[in-house]
Amino acid sequence: MKTKISGVELRRIAMPLVAPFRTSFGVETSRDVLLVRVVTADGEGWAECAAMSEPRYCSEYVDGAQDVLRRFLIPALPKDGVDANAVGRVLEPFTGHHMAKSALETAVLDAQLRSAGESFGAYLGAARDRVPCGVSVGIMDSIPQLLDAVEGYITEGYVRIKLKIEPGWDVEPVRAVRERFGDDLLLQVDANAAYTLVDAQQLAKLDDFGLLLIEQPLANDDMVQHAQLAKLLRTPICLDESIESAAHAAAAISLGACSVINIKPARVGGYLEARRIHDLARAHGIPVWCGGMLETGIGRAANVALAALPGFTLPGDTSGSRRYFATDITEPFVLADGHLDVPTGPGLGTEPLPDVLDEVTTSSEWIPL
Ligand code: OSB
Ligand code: MG
């Protein structure tokens, strides 16, 4: 099915976080989000670009994403219409920029599914109507502060806790959380590439705590080093930053660089590539889970749909809206019994609330096709 696009709106919004989020690569206090809205003959489609303000998590950043969308990606869309399944091929001549590409493909897909009356979940192959939710807990100033934060999330119902770690904040916070909340708590850690293979002995100390996994201990392009580290640890290695495509996932699996994959659709160029990674991992018996990039309800809706696919056997970083924002731009995602419902309406099954959107908008640009 071809969708004829008349133009694309690039809208920037400022979304203060309810609390600073500290990782090994920096501190976020507010999300500067780029929203993409494609306008078609019979409607519109929305998506959220996951790129952050600065190129720290990966090389993309929000101003760069807007620039490449405006100058290269949007103008490359065929004027006589395009099927969402062909957007990836159309954008292929431009290297990299997966987050920008993902946002454009997702907005086209949303428009197409809305016209067809089909939900993202149904289209992608969701196998359940709600997904269990984990929460990613930032690096804190002290252990008592961390324990308070974790306790709050457990009380809210989160079924899995992920602790951000870095050299100097690893074994002690993990030990403290285990001692306080017990061995049954589903617990994992995420280093965001903060270690090197020289730290293997330190990372091996985490083996005592029965973690579900350690996420991205080494640098993004340290695929071989991750395979070596995997031999030195009992804790399963999960890759996030290193996996930018299904080809990377295939390489990582055959090298033994990971035994779990965090799938972030934005990082791999979209939900279609994300589904290919899911299919590949499933065929290899590799569990996957859905990561997050502190999304608003627009990005969250699609992530929750993806997380409902059968190979997503671990709880994702698909937290409720209030974990991030006092006011979301969509109807908020609210945790019930540790789960979020997969939206069932056409496309993303949600859209920005016009009044909230206007309040948080910092700029808007129209790119005619
Ligand atoms: O590494 O998973 C990560 C947030 C921003 C950038 C990278 C990461 C994260 C998170 C939070 O861990 C996930 C979320 O709750 O959206
Ligand atoms: Mg991560």
Side-chain angles (χ1 to χ4, degrees):
M1 184 180 129
K2 272 194 181 182
T3 303
K4 203 160 175 235
I5 297 161
S6 55
V8 181
E9 183 193 6
L10 300 177
R11 186 187 279 251
R12 288 280 281 277
I13 61 173
M15 297 291 288
L17 294 168
V18 291
F21 182 64
R22 181 169 154 207
T23 66
S24 63
F25 63 81
V27 187
E28 305 309 310
T29 55
S30 182
R31 279 297 263 127
D32 176 356
V33 178
L34 169 63
L35 296 176
V36 175
R37 181 175 68 101
V38 305
V39 177
T40 71
D42 62 348
E44 58 182 23
W46 285 91
E48 167 171 357
C49 179
M52 306 184 87
S53 320
E54 299 183 5
R56 295 181 185 273
Y57 164 77
C58 67
S59 63
E60 287 185 88
Y61 62 103
V62 65
D63 285 333
Q66 186 161 350
D67 188 70
V68 79
L69 277 160
R70 175 200 306 122
R71 293 175 58 189
F72 301 106
L73 306 183
I74 293 168
L77 294 177
K79 311 246 175 309
D80 59 339
V82 66
D83 185 284
N85 279 284
V87 170
R89 268 192 307 284
V90 167
L91 303 182
E92 170 113 62
F94 304 103
T95 60
H97 297 285
H98 287 185
M99 292 177 170
K101 289 176 176 177
S102 172
L104 188 54
E105 180 187 270
T106 304
V108 174
L109 185 54
D110 183 41
Q112 198 170 307
L113 292 175
R114 272 176 210 271
S115 320
E118 188 178 15
S119 72
F120 253 72
Y123 176 78
L124 291 172
R128 44 188 175 257
D129 56 15
R130 58 175 207 157
V131 298
C133 298
V135 60
S136 176
V137 186
I139 294 166
M140 305 270 165
D141 292 332
S142 70
I143 301 275
Q145 197 189 349
L146 175 71
L147 294 176
D148 282 353
V150 171
E151 174 163 44
Y153 291 131
I154 291 173
T155 304
E156 280 186 60
Y158 286 101
V159 304
R160 183 227 71 192
I161 299 291
K162 161 169 140 183
L163 301 181
K164 290 293 193 177
I165 61 167
E166 67 181 1
W169 182 266
D170 43 34
V171 175
E172 289 321 311
V174 169
R175 185 196 310 281
V177 168
R178 265 283 175 252
E179 277 176 3
R180 169 78 174 273
F181 302 102
D183 291 340
D184 290 343
L185 175 68
L186 299 183
L187 184 63
Q188 63 192 53
V189 294
D190 185 1
N192 288 110
Y195 295 85
T196 71
L197 204 46
V198 171
D199 302 309
Q201 289 307 311
Q202 177 67 15
L203 294 172
K205 293 181 191 164
L206 294 170
D207 282 345
D208 293 343
F209 301 101
L211 300 177
L212 284 171
L213 56 90
I214 177 170
E215 182 179 344
Q216 197 69 40
L218 312 180
N220 304 15
D221 51 4
D222 279 357
M223 203 77 103
V224 171
Q225 290 88 333
H226 275 109
Q228 291 173 318
L229 182 64
K231 296 201 183 82
L232 303 172
L233 303 186
R234 271 183 287 121
T235 308
I237 290 181
C238 169
L239 291 176
D240 172 355
E241 285 91 328
S242 291
I243 307 296
E244 293 184 0
S245 63
H248 286 178
I253 292 169
S254 65
L255 258 176
C258 66
S259 48
V260 183
I261 296 176
N262 166 343
I263 300 184
K264 285 181 189 168
R267 193 193 64 222
V268 303
Y271 289 84
L272 304 177
E273 186 76 354
R275 184 171 57 183
R276 287 189 279 273
I277 297 178
H278 161 272
D279 295 349
L280 171 92
R282 193 157 180 240
H284 283 86
I286 297 278
V288 302
W289 54 280
C290 184
M293 292 293 291
L294 314 175
E295 287 92 347
T296 72
I298 291 295
R300 192 161 310 284
N303 284 350
V304 169
L306 180 74
L309 267 61
F312 283 76
T313 53
L314 291 168
D317 283 344
T318 48
S319 307
S321 294
R322 57 174 284 194
R323 181 259 172 271
Y324 311 94
F325 311 111
T327 310
D328 206 334
I329 57 168
T330 60
E331 289 296 339
F333 280 82
V334 180
L335 227 60
D337 183 29
H339 291 65
L340 286 182
D341 287 337
V342 178
T344 53
L348 297 174
T350 190
E351 55 276 307
L353 302 165
D355 292 351
V356 182
L357 186 62
D358 282 346
E359 250 168 64
V360 298
T361 295
T362 53
S363 71
S364 166
E365 158 178 32
W366 175 251
I367 318 286
L369 221 72

